[in-house]
Amino acid sequence: PMAGDLDEQRIIELVLQHGPPQGRHPLPDHPAALPGDDAALFAPQRVVTTDLMVEGVHWDSRSTEGDVGYKLAAVNASDIAAMGCRPTWAVLTLSLPRPVAAAWVEGFARGLGEGLGAFGARLIGGDTTASPGPVFAGLTMAGEGSAVVGRDGARPGDRVWVTGTLGDAAAGFFDGDPAGLAWLRRPRPPVELGAALADMGLVHAMMDLSDGLARDLARLCARSEVGAVVDPSLLPASPAVAALPAARRLQRQVAFGEDYQLLFTAPPAAERAIRRLGSVLDVAVSIIGEVRAEPAVCLQGAEWPEPMFDHFPVTGRPEGAAR
Amino acid sequence: PMAGDLDEQRIIELVLQHGPPQGRHPLPDHPAALPGDDAALFAPQRVVTTDLMVEGVHWDSRSTEGDVGYKLAAVNASDIAAMGCRPTWAVLTLSLPRPVAAAWVEGFARGLGEGLGAFGARLIGGDTTASPGPVFAGLTMAGEGSAVVGRDGARPGDRVWVTGTLGDAAAGFFDGDPAGLAWLRRPRPPVELGAALADMGLVHAMMDLSDGLARDLARLCARSEVGAVVDPSLLPASPAVAALPAARRLQRQVAFGEDYQLLFTAPPAAERAIRRLGSVLDVAVSIIGEVRAEPAVCLQGAEWPEPMFDHFPVTGRPEGAAR
């Protein structure tokens, strides 16, 4: 029987329910496991993630084929960084409608190469096919780090941090901000900072911001069995986002996604080292709130805005959610 | 400008041309690298492969959703076995048309779980999305072995071996043979044998038969810079294939593919050990010819039949090839 839309969580549950509980080869004993983290541990200090992009769903005509290739590398690298790791290798799957346009492949390949190069990953394999459908591009990326960080370590009293500015991609998508649109097409997740934060043992929990602070912070807190309070006035904004009317600004900053910034929690004592690291690596780092023992995840003096969904882009977003 | 169809080789060349020649993390120095082998080495004794299946291209209504899930695991495991390795972990990408049918996902998940369980791999991550297009299912699978075997080590004087019987999937697809159709839906690549052959140092070169002996043996020989002569009367056949008229039997056995058996070369001195291993693991092993120094790849007393292509299935087949 046809059911209504299944959301991503339910699909994953169905797959796992029938998957072998244990392969023949034991994996490292670590909480990082599907579906709870940005990437999965497959060996000590080694993680792997996969992201797929479908034409008409994850990009529209405002993105060139080069943007698509670049972004596929960037969104995977963001997941690796969120585990405190650095990208190492990647494999590509690509399905193209016939007749296959050489110019499309050439542009995609150039963008993918730029992205992989920017984040330090090497393409080592792949599979391609033609199909009657839209373009489908999937990348699996591995990474390694000296201290893998999951979402589950946040503790009451931790400061809540984010990198960069929030809401740029949303402002590009909805308000036509050119810098925001550039970020939407070619995000630059702070991979080196993520890995360095983990190396130096400065963070308790970390993830990347792909679905908006509202959803993502709630996930981190749920995994850590804590709550948090966020001060909206502390959310870092680019000039274009800062200039928006207050309600719209808040919505862009927390309810859309595609930020590809890092969200992490750290003890107060780590503040100075984190600020210094951000300065050295030229990545803005901001405290936006605090972890609490009570499970609620609140905005100080405001309600969380309704999630903003659009058919494009939906990377990582549960598909059953209403628009 | 739109070009004509690009074949898989050309797409891969375009991607690699723009890919970073070297990631920041050096990879093991080994000839196993895209596009020359069944899987790519990502660490010493560790390989990874990826295979994509698209609805309407790689399967039709004769396959259930469980068959699709199972086969996705099997074709990846076959690539791992062809490197002399055993599957360890896998990550899944799945794109489903809306509304997502719970029954489809449930059946697919069960079949995937059966396949992963049969070949010893554990599902550790994935990404799912909805799309307007056909179902896309991609799996990336890793494996490990004590001695990774590529396609490049065949030497003149080696015997050419295959496992199992050839032509079953073709006989199922074109002649309606029920056992062949069962193999087409649920191939059982001899994974343990592939890994054991490598462990014991018995083989010089190995790959899996996915595109038919004619194409695949030519690839192995090209990589090894040798030739080969095959005796058609030695090609192992199931009763249904053996009963076909000679010309059709030969075509089914060498020109279609989907065999998911192993093709390998070994020195004459290894014959006894290989036969013993096949017997212990209950996998048929057959010598079908010999490696020669001259680069030609010939059939004794026969011409290679024209490749048989059909829109379904085309796994791993260059897309520019005419039907």
Side-chain angles (χ1 to χ4, degrees), chain B residues 29-74:
Chain B
D29 183 23
H30 188 279
L34 178 140
D37 258 304
D38 296 274
L41 212 69
F42 69 87
Q45 319 306 344
R46 304 279 192 283
V47 296
V48 64
T49 187
T50 188
D51 271 294
L52 166 68
M53 291 175 65
V54 182
E55 180 184 21
V57 178
H58 298 84
W59 73 88
D60 64 15
S61 59
R62 288 179 287 181
S63 289
T64 67
E65 46 269 40
D67 294 338
V68 175
Y70 174 92
K71 187 163 180 175
L72 188 60

Side-chain angles (χ1 to χ4, degrees), chain A residues 84-86 144-147 149 192-203:
Chain A
C85 294
R86 293 176 179 85
E144 56 185 78
S146 58
V149 178
E192 187 51 37
L193 182 79
L197 286 169
D199 280 348
M200 297 171 66
L202 294 171
V203 292

Side-chain angles (χ1 to χ4, degrees), chain A residues 212-267:
Chain A
L213 182 69
R215 298 177 61 97
D216 289 332
L217 180 58
R219 289 174 181 151
L220 185 144
C221 287
R223 270 298 292 274
S224 295
E225 299 181 351
V226 295
V229 58
V230 167
D231 180 347
S233 73
L234 297 180
L235 298 177
S238 61
V241 171
L244 294 173
R248 207 197 299 173
R249 169 181 167 166
L250 183 63
Q251 190 188 44
R252 302 298 187 250
Q253 293 202 281
V254 309
F256 179 66
E258 301 285 321
D259 291 310
Y260 298 109
Q261 297 291 352
L262 292 170
L263 168 68
F264 55 93
T265 82

Side-chain angles (χ1 to χ4, degrees), chain B:
Chain B
M2 295 288 280
D5 268 15
L6 293 177
D7 68 14
E8 178 167 37
Q9 180 64 40
R10 180 72 188 127
I11 293 172
I12 290 169
E13 281 167 8
L14 281 171
V15 172
L16 286 182
Q17 177 186 319
H18 296 289
Q22 188 78 32
R24 282 186 210 128
H25 298 262
L27 287 168
D29 183 23
H30 188 279
L34 178 140
D37 258 304
D38 296 274
L41 212 69
F42 69 87
Q45 319 306 344
R46 304 279 192 283
V47 296
V48 64
T49 187
T50 188
D51 271 294
L52 166 68
M53 291 175 65
V54 182
E55 180 184 21
V57 178
H58 298 84
W59 73 88
D60 64 15
S61 59
R62 288 179 287 181
S63 289
T64 67
E65 46 269 40
D67 294 338
V68 175
Y70 174 92
K71 187 163 180 175
L72 188 60
V75 299
N76 276 280
S78 182
D79 283 330
I80 298 295
M83 302 298 289
C85 294
R86 292 177 180 84
T88 48
W89 54 261
V91 294
L92 173 72
T93 50
L94 191 59
S95 177
L96 299 166
R98 294 172 188 270
V100 175
W104 197 97
V105 177
E106 172 102 16
F108 173 84
R110 185 178 299 120
L112 179 68
E114 287 167 16
L116 292 172
F119 302 110
R122 178 169 168 171
L123 190 70
I124 62 169
D127 188 27
T128 68
T129 188
S131 90
V135 177
F136 293 93
L139 196 73
T140 297
M141 185 181 281
E144 56 185 77
S146 60
V148 172
V149 177
R151 299 179 179 182
D152 60 338
R155 298 176 205 168
D158 277 1
R159 303 298 184 244
V160 178
W161 294 76
V162 295
T163 60
T165 52
L166 303 187
D168 300 274
F173 190 70
F174 292 102
D175 309 312
D177 172 47
L181 207 51
W183 185 274
L184 183 67
R185 290 175 181 144
R186 302 226 174 194
R188 299 183 301 280
V191 171
E192 187 52 37
L193 182 79
L197 286 169
D199 280 350
M200 297 171 68
L202 295 171
V203 292
H204 283 155
M206 186 155 59
M207 66 184 294
D208 77 331
L209 285 168
S210 55
D211 292 340
L213 182 69
R215 298 178 61 98
D216 289 332
L217 179 58
R219 289 174 181 151
L220 185 145
C221 287
R223 271 298 292 275
S224 294
E225 300 182 350
V226 295
V229 58
V230 167
D231 180 346
S233 72
L234 298 180
L235 298 177
S238 61
V241 172
L244 294 172
R248 206 197 300 172
R249 170 182 165 166
L250 183 63
Q251 190 188 45
R252 303 297 188 250
Q253 293 203 281
V254 310
F256 179 67
E258 301 285 321
D259 291 310
Y260 298 108
Q261 297 291 351
L262 292 170
L263 169 69
F264 55 94
T265 81
E271 180 175 343
R272 190 170 163 172
I274 292 170
R275 292 203 187 280
R276 174 94 185 129
L277 190 61
S279 167
V280 167
L281 295 175
D282 199 23
V283 176
V285 289
S286 308
I287 293 177
I288 61 167
E290 194 178 313
V291 177
R292 299 277 171 87
E294 309 78 58
V297 180
C298 315
L299 279 181
Q300 240 168 30
E303 293 295 311
W304 290 104
E306 284 295 301
M308 299 168 69
F309 288 121
D310 195 276
H311 200 63
F312 158 82
V314 299
T315 308
R317 192 158 293 156
E319 295 302 327
R323 181 173 171 160

